[in-house]
Amino acid sequence: MELEQLRDELDEVDKKLLELFIKRMNLSEEVAKVKKEKNIPIFNGAREQEILQTRTEMAGEWKNYARSLFTELMALSKQRQWDILNGDDKKYGLIGRVLGHSFSKVLHEELGCNNYQLIELEPEELENFLRDTDLSGMNVTIPYKMEAKKYCDVLSEEAMAIGSVNTLVKHWEDKEAWYGYNTDVHGFLYTVELAGMELSGAKVLVLGSGGASKAVSYGCKKLGAGEVIIISRKGENNYDNLEKHYDADVIINATPVGMEPNIEEQPVDLEPFTKLSGVIDLIYNPRRTKLLQQAEALHINCIDGLAMLVSQAVHAQELFKNREFPMGITRRTQASLTRKLGNLILIGMPGCGKSSIAKAIGELSGREVIDTDTYIEEKEGMSIPEIFKKGGEALFRELETKALKELVHKKGIIISTGGGVVLSEENITYLKYNGYIYHIERDLDKLSREGRPLSEGADLKELYQRRLSFYAQCRDSVFENNGSIEDIARRIWEDFCEHLR
Ligand code: NAP
């Protein structure tokens, strides 16, 4: 059967599945209403097990897949039933001092919490806020994780051991009391597992001594780390005597150094560490901090803070709603946020089709497309040939770097770059902060030269050989553009939608 025909059949099956899914969810809602009327709890372990058992047996050779499918379906039904029984009018939020760059609202909305607010507080406002607020649950961030603990009536074991809270909940059975939890540990353990890092017996340096540092240190010990050393600006182990720890196995950045808007900062230089096998940066905005970019360049296994952010938020939602969330929701939400916030960047030789591909991906995805050459022309009020005439390649490169510096703070866009953008280390750093970078390869004899000051009359083979190592150093992925624009645009978009880290 032809691929197109198979795809059409799949579309038909999906349509039927969707109809049945909607029917199932509607029935779940009816069940919830009956349960509410008769005061029957949502969770019925015996019935769930029975459903799982029978459905799995009916699936024959697909039984393992069917088990996963029905586990997920039942979790979704329970989620809907919970919302009906408890009403979804409860309010939640995040408290902190400066929240302009927080992803929490987007994230909790992804998790189905539509009444989540960001609340900036000054230190002197905290006590009154916690006493008077009508929030049923909240997350806590810089600088209140330790302070908020003092206002908790009950602390979880982990919050007590760590000495800080990042989640406060008013449980329905005790609406007056704040229960304090620390879900950062949960998120950290998930991150280490996702990255495939081995902490057992390892010497770990944790940079910073704040709330996150405490949770991470607790997590490292839980994973059997041999030594956990806190590097603190004022501590016994500090940035002036780091050489004592150049034999560290893993470094974890639990400081805000390198976070938006100060993305050009880096807490430590990784070069002198001779045994490093892992770097974790708890920062998730930008996704690839300078620290992580250096780790990648040194081929050290590394991961940013998004997995931790999502995983701790899922656990916070479980605490808010007092129920387990469907399996796989953490990975799905992480992928969805990665898609939403990450920039898709195209690099490659002049005339390889970057602009057309970017436009086609823009049409497929509905994303804003920025062509750096057009951006420069609009900003400067001059065409590229005019810029070359005025100040040569030097002026053009200067304007190109300036453009990238401005674009670096944008999220969820497509950027098509000029062919020589990769020649500057500074440009590569800007592209990598929030970008996933696709190198477009095209046969040299097919490259377009029209209106391109640097490739008109140039020896393209020589230019390509000079640039290839720069493209290779910069790219995350490479795609050949020797077929149709629509086809490569679709393949790149599919690839972008799938990558998690
Ligand atoms: P915090 O309680 O304010 O602690 C941050 C610590 O970083 C401070 O105690 C300080 O330690 C150090 N620090 C602050 N400014 C510094 C500077 N300019 N240079 C060097 N060190 C500095 O904040 P936190 O809640 O622990 O959060 C720390 C970082 O982790 C933030 O970037 C936050 O976004 C991130 N985080 C991420 C997640 C996640 O889910 N991915 C969760 C929690 C936190 P010393 O004074 O001892 O040097």
Side-chain angles (χ1 to χ4, degrees):
M1 210 184 282
E2 288 298 310
L3 184 62
E4 277 313 304
Q5 200 182 341
L6 287 168
R7 283 193 172 137
D8 288 346
E9 283 197 23
L10 270 179
D11 287 349
E12 272 309 302
V13 172
D14 284 351
K15 225 162 98 187
K16 284 184 192 150
L17 271 178
L18 212 59
E19 280 166 17
L20 288 172
F21 174 70
I22 292 167
K23 198 168 170 187
R24 194 181 198 284
M25 291 304 277
N26 285 335
L27 283 169
S28 283
E29 277 195 14
E30 293 306 312
V31 171
K33 286 175 196 156
V34 175
K35 280 179 175 170
K36 190 171 186 177
E37 228 176 80
K38 302 199 168 165
N39 214 8
I40 300 170
I42 295 175
F43 184 70
N44 180 343
R47 164 112 179 108
E48 254 185 44
Q49 279 314 311
E50 186 199 318
I51 295 179
L52 262 186
Q53 181 80 21
T54 52
R55 308 307 189 258
T56 308
E57 276 164 15
M58 281 157 68
E61 63 174 309
W62 295 100
K63 66 181 182 195
N64 289 337
Y65 293 89
R67 172 169 285 276
S68 302
L69 174 69
F70 278 95
T71 307
E72 195 87 355
L73 272 178
M74 284 189 296
L76 290 169
S77 295
K78 276 191 292 181
Q79 178 181 339
R80 186 67 196 129
Q81 292 187 0
W82 191 96
D83 286 343
I84 288 179
L85 287 184
N86 293 280
D88 32 22
D89 56 344
K90 287 192 178 151
K91 294 185 194 153
Y92 303 95
L94 169 72
I95 58 166
R97 196 158 185 200
V98 183
L99 301 176
H101 295 284
S102 171
F103 284 4
S104 288
K105 188 169 164 62
V106 182
L107 170 55
H108 285 269
E109 284 173 358
E110 279 279 336
L111 295 171
C113 183
N114 292 319
N115 27 24
Y116 193 93
Q117 317 158 33
L118 300 180
I119 301 155
E120 292 188 344
L121 296 174
E122 287 304 315
E124 60 278 10
E125 295 173 309
L126 183 67
E127 184 173 0
N128 286 349
F129 178 81
L130 290 177
R131 194 189 53 228
D132 301 332
T133 180
D134 60 348
L135 297 188
S136 300
M138 68 185 87
N139 297 117
V140 183
T141 188
I142 302 174
Y144 300 127
K145 289 185 184 178
M146 282 185 256
E147 190 62 17
K149 189 191 83 168
K150 296 185 193 156
Y151 302 101
C152 291
D153 305 281
V154 184
L155 285 177
S156 73
E157 198 185 314
E158 282 171 343
M160 202 141 31
I162 294 163
S164 76
V165 293
N166 76 336
T167 303
L168 300 184
V169 186
K170 279 200 170 150
H171 289 299
W172 65 271
E173 69 276 16
D174 187 2
K175 290 195 176 97
E176 295 310 311
W178 280 119
Y179 284 68
Y181 300 89
N182 195 309
T183 66
D184 279 341
V185 183
H186 189 89
F188 174 69
L189 298 179
Y190 172 78
T191 301
V192 174
E193 191 188 336
L194 185 69
M197 285 182 198
E198 183 52 72
L199 294 196
S200 172
K203 174 171 178 173
V204 184
L205 296 194
V206 182
L207 311 179
S209 65
S213 162
K214 289 188 172 55
V216 160
S217 305
Y218 176 85
C220 289
K221 285 176 195 148
K222 217 169 164 173
L223 291 172
E227 236 183 314
V228 180
I229 301 194
I230 308 294
I231 307 294
S232 164
R233 287 168 299 178
K234 294 178 258 34
E236 180 195 339
N237 293 297
N238 55 58
Y239 298 89
D240 292 327
N241 60 24
L242 263 186
E243 64 281 357
K244 290 197 292 183
H245 305 297
Y246 282 165
D247 59 344
D249 299 297
V250 174
I251 291 184
I252 302 170
N253 179 31
T255 78
V257 180
M259 188 166 81
E260 273 281 3
N262 304 313
I263 56 177
E264 304 205 25
E265 295 175 356
Q266 183 171 337
V268 290
D269 176 15
L270 301 176
E271 194 84 52
F273 293 87
T274 50
K275 286 178 63 191
L276 263 193
S277 61
V279 174
I280 301 177
D281 198 332
L282 301 195
I283 292 172
Y284 46 83
N285 186 13
R287 292 295 309 276
R288 252 192 292 210
T289 55
K290 261 201 161 158
L291 184 74
L292 290 187
Q293 292 194 29
Q294 192 187 19
E296 274 186 3
L298 294 169
H299 305 289
I300 298 167
N301 183 11
C302 61
I303 187 164
D304 74 322
L306 192 72
M308 174 163 164
L309 179 80
V310 174
S311 168
Q312 63 78 27
V314 170
H315 194 44
Q317 280 291 332
E318 290 180 326
L319 292 165
F320 291 161
K321 309 247 166 116
N322 197 20
R323 66 173 170 79
E324 276 180 31
F325 270 43
M327 246 180 5
I329 197 161
T330 308
R331 282 184 82 81
R332 272 205 305 276
T333 309
Q334 200 188 328
S336 163
L337 276 187
T338 300
R339 271 199 302 279
K340 223 176 233 175
L341 302 164
N343 295 331
L344 190 161
I345 295 174
L346 302 181
I347 59 168
M349 286 285 282
C352 70
K354 295 175 299 258
S355 302
S356 313
I357 298 168
K359 193 164 161 259
I361 304 175
E363 276 160 18
L364 264 180
S365 62
R367 287 178 161 231
E368 183 187 359
V369 178
I370 295 180
D371 184 293
T372 51
D373 283 358
T374 313
Y375 183 86
I376 296 166
E377 288 181 332
E378 282 169 6
K379 280 262 160 171
E380 301 307 316
M382 276 187 281
S383 69
I384 300 295
E386 281 166 352
I387 292 171
F388 269 80
K389 208 165 161 196
K390 183 177 171 201
E393 187 177 349
L395 175 64
F396 174 71
R397 295 287 170 224
E398 190 186 308
L399 295 175
E400 188 170 49
T401 301
K402 187 172 152 236
L404 294 178
K405 200 170 175 176
E406 287 164 13
L407 292 174
V408 73
H409 303 285
K410 281 195 166 256
K411 305 248 168 5
I413 57 169
I414 299 165
I415 303 179
S416 163
T417 60
V421 74
V422 293
L423 298 174
S424 139
E425 287 259 345
E426 198 180 358
N427 291 355
I428 297 182
T429 305
Y430 286 134
L431 292 176
K432 283 190 172 183
Y433 280 127
N434 284 308
Y436 195 76
I437 302 171
Y438 289 91
H439 177 197
I440 309 296
E441 286 271 43
R442 185 168 171 83
D443 294 345
L444 294 184
D445 57 355
K446 290 187 183 151
L447 296 180
S448 148
R449 294 173 182 249
E450 210 184 310
R452 300 168 198 276
L454 284 174
S455 51
E456 268 172 350
D459 178 348
L460 287 182
K461 194 168 172 201
E462 189 273 327
L463 191 70
Y464 178 72
Q465 273 160 359
R466 232 177 334 117
R467 286 188 180 172
L468 183 59
S469 64
F470 293 97
Y471 290 131
Q473 179 202 342
C474 186
R475 72 191 177 202
D476 293 297
S477 237
V478 58
F479 276 72
E480 267 196 29
N481 175 28
N482 288 314
S484 80
I485 293 291
E486 289 68 31
D487 180 56
I488 186 173
R490 186 186 43 75
R491 286 189 289 123
I492 291 178
W493 178 241
E494 280 173 8
D495 185 82
F496 182 75
C497 289
E498 268 167 29
H499 89 268
L500 255 186
R501 286 169 62 182

